[in-house]
Amino acid sequence: MRVVCYTRFTSCLFGEENSPDIINQQNQRIKEFVKSKGYKLQTRYSDRKQDINADDAFTEMLNDGLARKYDLVIVDSLYRTGKNLWFAREMLLQTFYPAGIHFAVIEDNFCSISKTYDEVEAFFEEKVSQYHQETIRRRIIDRHKQGLLCWNDLKYGYQMTEDYQMLINPETAPVAEMDQAVCQTILSAREQALKIKAKLEEDGGKEMTSRLSVYEKEIRDLAYKLAELEKERLQIYINQDEDNSRQLELKAEVEAIEKIISSDREKMKTLRKAYSLENPRLKLYLEVDPLKLRLMERSTIRKYLGKVVMDVVTIKRVELLHSEWLLYFPKEWRETDGSKK
């Protein structure tokens, strides 16, 4: 079987990045495929120009195929086969396959050999569908990066202007305004989390050490007292004092002190967590994506929202998650608590 291959620098996928060695990457995958099948490459066609319209090698390959100079053409990806997917479809499906010239697409692990025309056509239909979906997805992401909205971003209660700005629809203003208020509260919580993170990096260790020292001192004092009580209990045991009343009193005091020490140690553990990025409040709100929040997806909002207290249609209070973890920080660190009072 006479085998050839085709590689290309540019991709027809919107926003696809082309690394400088993209041709070499394709050649390497083709080399491995050829070796696995026991083929021998006869000719390599390659459009190496960084130009989406480059097709000299593609045209040469097409003409050689029409002249029956090979039986199988191997490509790494349909998205890098000619100027676009339609050029690839016209050549491989509509021209080559009916003429008995087969093709293999490494990216999709697809080879037309032993495939019916319907199967090959179904393969291209699936690729075209994937192409459209991926192109739409990438264009939306690109617009979002530019701070622009798309029509499919339009949410209930809003209308989009000709310059792609989302404005509140007067007819549904109460609902939309509520969404905006909730989102603004979440954004405020994010700003607060960023501020606290900066404070932690600046002098968080000093502040935490100061707070921990209070518990450490209490534990030391209690440990000394505990040692004295245990000493007294031991003396009573040595003297074989038959009066159990003092023994019971000492036991109760020891258990009470041990309980306090255990509680203090748990508080220290929690304090260390609070003064780190493992703090649940910081961990959650530092990951807030302002762009996604701006789209006001309900699933995104619910991720951060505790509850909303309403008075008919007016918001009285928005409560966010993990607010209790803010109480570990000094008041000046948390000038706003991310909640609308």
Side-chain angles (χ1 to χ4, degrees):
M1 181 179 288
R2 297 168 299 172
V3 181
V4 300
C5 70
Y6 174 81
T7 55
R8 183 179 184 83
F9 184 84
T10 62
S11 169
C12 64
L13 272 178
F14 177 83
E16 185 79 353
E17 294 184 0
N18 300 308
S19 62
D21 66 336
I22 188 64
I23 298 291
N24 291 334
Q25 293 178 30
Q26 294 173 73
N27 281 330
Q28 181 60 35
R29 287 188 285 269
I30 290 172
K31 179 181 177 181
E32 293 172 359
F33 177 81
V34 168
K35 183 178 179 180
S36 69
K37 298 296 182 181
Y39 297 148
K40 183 177 180 180
L41 275 179
Q42 174 180 296
T43 308
R44 296 176 182 270
Y45 302 93
S46 184
D47 281 311
R48 295 174 172 271
K49 294 180 181 179
Q50 299 181 26
D51 180 1
I52 191 66
N53 293 313
D55 67 349
D56 293 345
F58 183 84
T59 301
E60 182 184 359
M61 178 177 65
L62 174 60
N63 291 332
D64 286 350
L66 294 174
R68 300 300 184 104
K69 292 185 177 181
Y70 53 82
D71 306 301
L72 173 68
V73 57
I74 302 171
V75 298
D76 181 58
S77 169
L78 278 185
Y79 301 135
R80 295 186 190 274
T81 305
K83 296 179 182 179
N84 55 49
L85 197 56
W86 287 266
F87 276 82
R89 186 179 190 278
E90 182 178 1
M91 182 182 72
L92 299 176
L93 173 64
Q94 298 177 342
T95 304
F96 282 0
Y97 183 82
I101 299 175
H102 291 283
F103 65 92
V105 184
I106 297 174
E107 182 179 67
D108 300 294
N109 192 29
F110 183 89
C111 183
S112 65
I113 297 175
S114 77
K115 295 286 195 300
T116 66
Y117 184 86
D118 288 342
E119 290 174 326
V120 177
E121 186 177 39
F123 167 70
F124 272 95
E125 288 178 355
E126 177 64 23
K127 292 301 294 184
V128 169
S129 176
Q130 291 177 9
Y131 171 81
H132 285 308
Q133 293 176 27
E134 185 64 13
T135 298
I136 291 172
R137 187 185 72 84
R138 292 187 179 202
R139 287 187 181 278
I140 290 174
I141 291 175
D142 184 63
R143 292 188 67 84
H144 287 174
K145 287 180 178 179
Q146 298 178 49
L148 300 175
L149 297 173
C150 302
W151 286 106
N152 57 318
D153 295 325
L154 196 59
K155 305 302 175 187
Y156 172 78
Y158 293 82
Q159 57 189 13
M160 188 172 289
T161 64
E162 292 182 358
D163 58 347
Y164 296 96
Q165 298 300 311
M166 196 158 60
L167 300 178
I168 294 177
N169 186 331
E171 296 180 1
T172 54
V175 175
E177 288 172 352
M178 181 181 71
D179 285 348
Q180 280 195 338
V182 171
C183 289
Q184 186 55 52
T185 301
I186 296 173
L187 286 174
S188 296
R190 175 179 179 270
E191 292 175 6
Q192 180 193 53
L194 289 170
K195 176 183 177 181
I196 292 175
K197 179 185 177 184
K199 286 288 187 180
L200 288 176
E201 293 172 349
E202 181 182 342
D203 57 5
K206 181 180 178 181
E207 179 67 27
M208 182 180 69
T209 301
S210 175
R211 298 280 298 276
L212 288 174
S213 64
V214 176
Y215 294 112
E216 290 170 346
K217 182 179 184 304
E218 183 176 43
I219 289 175
R220 282 197 303 271
D221 293 342
L222 290 173
Y224 289 137
K225 186 174 182 180
L226 191 61
E228 291 296 323
L229 293 175
E230 290 291 357
K231 182 179 179 181
E232 185 178 350
R233 289 179 69 184
L234 179 61
Q235 191 62 46
I236 292 175
Y237 176 78
I238 293 173
N239 295 336
Q240 296 183 348
D241 192 339
E242 295 182 357
D243 184 7
N244 289 331
S245 59
R246 182 53 183 162
Q247 279 278 26
L248 294 174
E249 290 175 1
L250 289 172
K251 181 181 178 182
E253 289 183 47
V254 167
E255 290 177 349
I257 291 175
E258 289 177 340
K259 187 175 181 180
I260 294 173
I261 291 176
S262 177
S263 175
D264 283 351
R265 284 174 175 163
E266 282 299 314
K267 290 176 182 177
M268 292 174 70
K269 181 179 178 181
T270 302
L271 190 61
R272 290 190 180 95
K273 183 176 181 179
Y275 276 79
S276 74
L277 294 184
E278 290 302 310
N279 181 313
R281 174 77 175 200
L282 300 184
K283 196 172 184 179
L284 180 63
Y285 291 95
L286 284 174
E287 70 175 21
V288 171
D289 185 336
L291 180 58
K292 288 184 178 179
L293 198 62
R294 183 181 171 215
L295 300 179
M296 286 171 280
E297 288 282 0
R298 293 297 174 129
S299 58
T300 301
I301 293 175
R302 284 197 297 268
K303 184 178 179 181
Y304 307 102
L305 193 61
K307 68 178 180 179
V308 178
V309 180
M310 303 286 296
D311 180 9
V312 190
V313 294
T314 303
I315 295 179
K316 293 183 64 178
R317 186 173 69 257
V318 176
E319 296 181 5
L320 301 182
L321 295 175
H322 306 310
S323 295
E324 69 278 8
W325 284 89
L326 289 173
L327 301 178
Y328 290 95
F329 301 116
K331 186 176 180 180
E332 59 270 21
W333 288 25
R334 47 184 175 89
E335 292 179 354
T336 60
D337 63 0
S339 300
K340 184 176 180 180
K341 301 297 183 182

